[in-house]
Amino acid sequence: MRYFLIFITFSLISVKGFGQYNIAQKIALNNLVNPTTNLFIHFDKNVYSNNETAYFTAYLLKTGKFKHKAHKILAVTLIRDMDSSLVKLDKFLIHDGFAFGSMVLPDSILTGDYHFLAYTDKLINGKPELTFKQRITIKTNIDLPFKGNIAFLEKPNPKAIEHKLLISVTSNDNRFLPKPTIVNYKYGKEQKTAKTDASGQLLLTLPKQENLIDPNIYVRLKYLKDSTFLSLNLPPNKIKAVVKFFPVGGNLVNNVASNVAWEVTDPQKKPIAIKAFLYKNNTVIDTIETSSYGIGKFKLVPTADATYSVKLAHETMADSTYILPKALPRGLVMNITNVLPQDTLKLQLRSTGEQKVFIRVHNFRTCYVDYPFDTEGYRTRSIRVPLTEIPKGIHTVTITDSLDRPLAEQIFFAHYDNRETIKIQTDNPTYLPREKVTLKLSPNELKSNAIVSVAVVQENRISLKNSNDIETYSYIKNELENAPSSINGTGYKDKNYFEQILLAKGWRRYTWQQMLETIPSDTMKRMDSLSMVGNIKKGTKQITKPLSLAIFGGNQIKAFDSSPQGNFDLTNPEFISDYGKKMYLFVNDPNKESFNLDIKDSFEKTSKELAKTETYFEDVVPLILTNNTDLVLKSNEKAIRLKEVTITNKKDNSFNYHGAPGANACGDYVCRYNILNCQNHVADIGNTQPIRGRTYGGTMKAPYMGCTTFDKNEKSYVQFSGIRYHKEFYLNDYKDPAEPALFSTVYWNYGTILNRDKETELSFYTSDVTGVFRIIVQGITDSDVVYSENKFEVKQKGQIN
């Protein structure tokens, strides 16, 4: 076989017409119609407990129809995966493409899988232009009111026609509960309610259901006012694997050697590593296998008289024979020798005959190469494309005939090794609890200055199944449809993972045919903004002149006027309050009793709709939780919680009186260590309400000014959820030995500017929590995203050598 080597240079880009538009113009038009956007949010960790604070930095990396500065508000919602219910919504200010924020998780939140869903205020055809989702798991730092467990009564038998399960419920100290527990369960199409017996047990006998999309049983246990969730995978008798074949380049062609990628998953899209036999008619011609990602590759030269199939070599698989797609009698086969090229893209073309084709390198946004080429029958043509002018990222090679009909297509990633990294160094590899850590960030490998966020968190608060980073998200997850997560959590840095994804998961958000069908009128989109607006009326009548209104939040009152018709806008940046502070709007008029206020917050409606319509993630099976104690923090990671008591006396003016329990109507509180609004004890059961005129520890040294409240029956005032400032991370040196310091996030910093010409030094203290801690630094430079990490360990005295 003869090989021909051809070099394509950028001076050979053609401008062949396509009706009124050539292909380069069509691709540019597609970018206007379907722009790729990118919002990434760095959360300090992805495993939280109730009452913890989640800190985050949002990066608006790429907008579509709207410019960066047009996006003003970032909404962050917390959604429970089990039932897609909206748990919490907070709103934060966006400035110059950044948003900094925090969210305190409710103290009463149930354990399990959740996700943050964030979006901005700009809408395209009724949907947010920028959205982002982050999986999290929530554990609890409170001793459970009861223990629940679900297990198979006996070892699962593949030949049995039913599942036998035992649900057991006991008190936290393993005693029988005095009353039965209500059990709600769902398995496939079956949903029922039952109760445990006197010994706290319930035996379930469930007929097996085959071919379920979700084979789990989901159980909710409710005892008195407390609830918990359990789940268990119920395996079918035979697993019906989902097998897909991806001839590299697009099609098999008779008598032309092709590479074929193949993928094996279960119905829940979980990858299956398996061996199989490749058949030509009824004869085995090869043994093939998939990796831990469920992806493999083999070579094949198909012939016209043969049927090719794959038979899985596993006895638990149902329908284990799968037919390959039929080969074309004539055509062209393309293969990229390295899908992660650095400077030069190498193609091999094999064709059954002479044909005029066009080779195009593009990313559905810009066409970089448009080169006419003549194929020759049954000859291998090697082509090299320099990548000098092609930017870093995923690109597509599309080969079409003279009528621009696609013949072959494959994706690759240009300049994979061009990573911008930050060197992270600690002054010691191991520390004692409450010891100072000095951190040095060396950005001298960056091409420009960087803006980053820095998190130092306990390593067991970073779950692999929830893992996400700015590099993997920007270059893989945001570019490819439903790209699976990296098994080891390294994502972009896992070269083997990336290569397999490009082979078998190479579908883009937009196809060649879709791109060709775009027309200029498709660029017309309905552009709108979410709002928080209100109206004031005198009784039921519209007012005719501006009326004075005021917003009270924290310790500040801000006055403004409505329009002559009584309308007003609450998204004004001047109306921002500190996080956790309640916000009130009231009429600033002597005759306020005759006026009625009404506020319409479109963020609340949109959040509820997105919680139901935005599927959270498709490539991971929901959490399997057979025992609710698995989501309880270890004893050395949580403080002792005081039992709640009832205060009977309503007022006490004595000097030792510490105030009523909890926070006051303004959200202010004093922790047990006499610190006003202590960041370490948000919603702690030992908190008390501050007393007007007293001076407390913390950032505000002046006497407490008190809390102004309003009569809830008044229609001239209303409480609302406004835009919040982010809560600053409280850097503590833990000098008070009596104060527990059980914090899994020991350092958080946002908007840190790194000068590439010098080191940046940061310092913080370890907490009382021992174990491995991970340092995560991620952000942006002038031209790229950046991600780096390192680790250190905290040990008790005597454990350090």
Side-chain angles (χ1 to χ4, degrees):
M1 183 179 290
R2 298 178 59 191
Y3 288 81
F4 293 83
L5 185 62
I6 298 175
F7 291 88
I8 294 180
T9 64
F10 286 91
S11 62
L12 297 176
I13 292 180
S14 75
V15 289
K16 184 178 70 69
F18 181 91
Q20 184 178 356
Y21 287 85
N22 62 41
I23 290 299
Q25 290 173 324
K26 274 284 183 178
I27 291 175
L29 179 62
N30 179 73
N31 184 42
L32 293 176
V33 175
N34 302 301
T36 299
T37 59
N38 189 359
L39 166 67
F40 179 81
I41 301 183
H42 174 198
F43 289 89
D44 61 323
K45 53 198 173 194
N46 57 48
V47 177
Y48 294 90
S49 69
N50 55 307
N51 206 26
E52 269 196 309
T53 300
Y55 296 93
F56 62 85
T57 297
Y59 299 90
L60 279 67
L61 300 176
K62 190 182 298 182
T63 60
K65 292 288 185 180
F66 292 94
K67 294 183 179 181
H68 276 78
K69 291 186 177 181
H71 295 264
K72 300 295 185 182
I73 301 173
L74 177 74
V76 180
T77 65
L78 177 62
I79 299 171
R80 185 166 57 217
D81 292 352
M82 182 71 70
D83 53 8
S84 297
S85 61
L86 176 64
V87 178
K88 194 169 185 179
L89 163 66
D90 282 327
K91 299 178 284 288
F92 302 90
L93 187 67
I94 299 174
H95 183 68
D96 289 340
F98 296 93
F100 312 114
S102 56
M103 177 183 285
V104 178
L105 305 185
D107 190 51
S108 58
I109 192 169
L110 297 175
T111 57
D113 276 353
Y114 292 73
H115 65 280
F116 288 117
L117 171 61
Y119 60 92
T120 65
D121 58 328
K122 297 304 175 184
L123 303 179
I124 300 293
N125 290 342
K127 295 183 178 181
E129 182 180 59
L130 299 177
T131 61
F132 177 81
K133 289 173 282 188
Q134 171 65 56
R135 293 189 188 100
I136 66 169
T137 300
I138 294 183
K139 298 187 175 184
T140 181
N141 57 15
I142 304 174
D143 290 335
L144 297 173
F146 62 87
K147 294 180 180 179
N149 183 76
I150 183 172
F152 289 100
L153 188 63
E154 54 192 28
K155 186 178 180 180
N157 182 1
K159 297 181 180 181
I161 62 173
E162 57 191 15
H163 298 289
K164 291 186 177 181
L165 309 173
L166 180 65
I167 295 176
S168 303
V169 183
T170 66
S171 66
N172 191 43
D173 55 356
N174 301 313
R175 298 175 182 269
F176 291 144
L177 294 172
K179 295 182 179 181
T181 301
I182 298 175
V183 180
N184 298 296
Y185 64 91
K186 176 184 177 183
Y187 170 55
K189 297 180 180 179
E190 186 173 354
Q191 295 188 54
K192 290 187 177 181
T193 300
K195 292 183 179 181
T196 57
D197 58 21
S199 60
Q201 295 184 333
L202 174 65
L203 177 63
L204 295 180
T205 301
L206 305 174
K208 288 187 177 180
Q209 301 181 39
E210 300 296 329
N211 303 324
L212 291 177
I213 298 297
D214 186 353
N216 292 343
I217 179 174
Y218 296 97
V219 178
R220 181 180 181 181
L221 304 177
K222 189 174 189 303
Y223 182 74
L224 301 180
K225 296 181 179 180
D226 297 303
S227 298
T228 190
F229 291 98
L230 301 174
S231 58
L232 178 66
N233 180 264
L234 304 184
N237 289 341
K238 293 283 187 178
I239 298 174
K240 189 173 183 179
V242 178
V243 180
K244 297 179 181 179
F245 299 99
F246 306 94
V248 175
N251 296 298
L252 294 173
V253 179
N254 286 334
N255 304 314
V256 178
S258 297
N259 290 318
V260 181
W262 68 303
E263 178 190 32
V264 184
T265 65
D266 66 11
Q268 291 73 50
K269 300 186 179 182
K270 182 180 178 181
I272 300 176
I274 197 171
K275 291 187 177 182
F277 300 106
L278 176 63
Y279 282 79
K280 179 180 182 180
N281 295 326
N282 295 318
T283 304
V284 176
I285 59 174
D286 199 359
T287 301
I288 60 179
E289 62 182 2
T290 60
S291 69
S292 55
Y293 289 104
I295 298 172
K297 185 174 71 171
F298 58 89
K299 289 188 175 182
L300 181 65
V301 183
T303 57
D305 59 345
T307 298
Y308 296 89
S309 62
V310 168
K311 185 173 183 180
L312 304 180
H314 204 291
E315 61 181 8
T316 64
M317 295 293 176
D319 303 324
S320 61
T321 300
Y322 300 85
I323 307 299
L324 269 72
K326 191 71 175 177
L328 301 177
R330 297 175 62 82
L332 179 145
V333 172
M334 174 182 62
N335 181 54
I336 296 177
T337 56
N338 177 18
V339 294
L340 299 176
Q342 183 60 25
D343 299 315
T344 304
L345 176 67
K346 299 177 182 179
L347 308 176
Q348 286 188 342
L349 302 184
R350 303 180 182 93
S351 176
T352 57
E354 295 183 359
Q355 186 178 12
K356 186 178 183 63
V357 300
F358 286 84
I359 302 173
R360 296 182 173 97
V361 180
H362 61 94
N363 58 6
F364 287 102
R365 298 186 287 272
T366 302
C367 185
Y368 299 98
V369 173
D370 189 346
Y371 179 71
F373 183 74
D374 295 320
T375 65
E376 297 182 21
Y378 297 100
R379 289 183 176 179
T380 298
R381 309 292 296 271
S382 294
I383 299 174
R384 293 187 177 184
V385 181
L387 302 178
T388 309
E389 302 297 326
I390 295 179
K392 177 181 176 180
I394 292 179
H395 300 274
T396 303
V397 179
T398 303
I399 299 180
T400 69
D401 61 14
S402 58
L403 298 178
D404 290 315
R405 294 174 299 191
L407 303 174
E409 189 171 86
Q410 192 174 355
I411 64 174
F412 67 96
F413 191 94
H415 311 296
Y416 171 77
D417 293 324
N418 288 0
R419 294 186 63 234
E420 298 200 49
T421 59
I422 299 169
K423 186 178 180 180
I424 304 173
Q425 290 180 299
T426 56
D427 52 343
N428 288 302
T430 308
Y431 298 88
L432 292 170
R434 307 194 183 205
E435 186 176 359
K436 186 177 181 180
V437 178
T438 300
L439 189 66
K440 291 184 179 180
L441 306 180
S442 303
N444 52 1
E445 296 183 16
L446 301 181
K447 297 178 182 178
S448 63
N449 295 345
I451 300 177
V452 301
S453 44
V454 184
V456 183
V457 300
Q458 192 179 1
E459 188 169 45
N460 64 8
R461 294 301 193 94
I462 304 291
S463 169
L464 285 180
K465 78 180 183 69
N466 299 336
S467 62
N468 203 1
D469 65 79
I470 195 169
E471 209 168 31
T472 302
Y473 183 82
S474 297
Y475 285 120
I476 302 178
K477 294 182 179 181
N478 194 52
E479 290 290 330
L480 299 179
E481 290 284 356
N482 300 323
S485 298
S486 170
I487 292 176
N488 59 16
T490 55
Y492 181 93
K493 293 186 292 184
D494 187 343
K495 196 170 186 177
N496 181 45
Y497 157 77
F498 207 169
E499 287 176 336
Q500 294 187 62
I501 295 304
L502 293 176
L503 275 176
K505 297 289 187 180
W507 54 75
R508 299 300 300 270
R509 294 183 179 275
Y510 313 108
T511 65
W512 182 264
Q513 190 61 36
Q514 177 187 355
M515 182 270 297
L516 292 181
E517 293 174 354
T518 56
I519 56 177
S521 61
D522 292 337
T523 60
M524 302 299 293
K525 307 280 187 179
R526 190 175 78 254
M527 302 169 66
D528 202 354
S529 299
L530 293 171
S531 61
M532 287 191 300
V533 296
N535 180 264
I536 183 169
K537 293 182 178 180
K538 188 168 185 178
T540 59
K541 296 181 180 180
Q542 179 178 306
I543 63 175
T544 57
K545 60 181 180 179
L547 190 68
S548 178
L549 303 174
I551 290 178
F552 173 73
N555 296 318
Q556 294 185 344
I557 295 179
K558 299 176 181 178
F560 66 100
D561 290 338
S562 72
S563 71
Q565 297 77 29
N567 299 319
F568 52 89
D569 186 356
L570 296 178
T571 58
N572 191 320
E574 294 182 2
F575 302 153
I576 300 178
S577 178
D578 292 334
Y579 188 86
K581 299 294 184 182
K582 295 182 180 180
M583 300 183 71
Y584 301 92
L585 174 69
F586 61 94
V587 178
N588 189 21
D589 188 272
N591 300 318
K592 61 182 180 179
E593 293 81 6
S594 60
F595 294 98
N596 295 328
L597 285 169
D598 180 50
I599 294 177
K600 293 182 179 179
D601 187 347
S602 57
F603 287 93
E604 293 184 2
K605 180 182 178 182
T606 300
S607 296
K608 292 176 181 178
E609 291 174 349
L610 291 176
K612 300 297 182 184
T613 59
E614 286 280 321
T615 54
Y616 48 109
F617 299 97
E618 297 185 358
D619 62 305
V620 173
V621 178
L623 174 71
I624 304 302
L625 182 66
T626 60
N627 194 310
N628 62 347
T629 59
D630 293 342
L631 290 180
V632 179
L633 295 180
K634 297 178 181 179
S635 58
N636 64 341
E637 297 177 17
K638 61 181 181 179
I640 298 175
R641 297 283 295 245
L642 298 178
K643 291 185 178 181
E644 189 171 358
V645 297
T646 301
I647 306 296
T648 57
N649 58 316
K650 296 183 179 180
K651 187 175 183 180
D652 186 342
N653 294 321
S654 65
F655 180 78
N656 293 323
Y657 177 60
H658 294 288
N664 61 21
C666 298
D668 297 325
Y669 61 91
V670 179
C671 77
R672 69 190 71 174
Y673 298 97
N674 205 42
I675 297 176
L676 180 65
N677 296 328
C678 175
Q679 303 301 317
N680 295 333
H681 298 95
V682 178
D684 187 86
I685 202 169
N687 291 348
T688 57
Q689 297 181 19
I691 298 174
R692 183 184 180 92
R694 286 194 183 178
T695 301
Y696 298 97
T699 56
M700 189 176 75
K701 302 301 182 182
Y704 181 66
M705 300 300 294
C707 173
T708 302
T709 59
F710 301 88
D711 185 354
K712 293 185 178 182
N713 294 321
E714 290 185 19
K715 296 182 179 180
S716 61
Y717 106 100
V718 63
Q719 183 179 334
F720 70 100
S721 176
I723 306 172
R724 305 293 189 182
Y725 287 117
H726 62 279
K727 185 173 70 173
E728 293 289 347
F729 183 81
Y730 181 58
L731 278 176
N732 199 329
D733 56 10
Y734 310 117
K735 290 183 177 180
D736 186 351
E739 181 181 1
L742 300 172
F743 304 107
S744 58
T745 298
V746 295
Y747 184 77
W748 169 258
N749 207 338
Y750 60 91
T752 302
I753 299 177
L754 303 183
N755 189 325
R756 68 177 302 273
D757 297 323
K758 64 179 182 180
E759 286 186 338
T760 298
E761 186 172 293
L762 307 170
S763 62
F764 55 90
Y765 286 81
T766 61
S767 65
D768 289 338
V769 177
T770 58
V772 178
F773 282 75
R774 189 181 301 187
I775 307 165
I776 298 174
V777 179
Q778 55 185 332
I780 61 172
T781 64
D782 288 346
S783 58
D784 204 354
V785 296
V786 59
Y787 177 87
S788 296
E789 63 177 53
N790 204 347
K791 298 179 182 180
F792 65 85
E793 189 171 5
V794 178
K795 294 183 178 181
Q796 293 289 354
K797 191 173 184 179
Q799 294 180 326
I800 300 179
N801 295 329

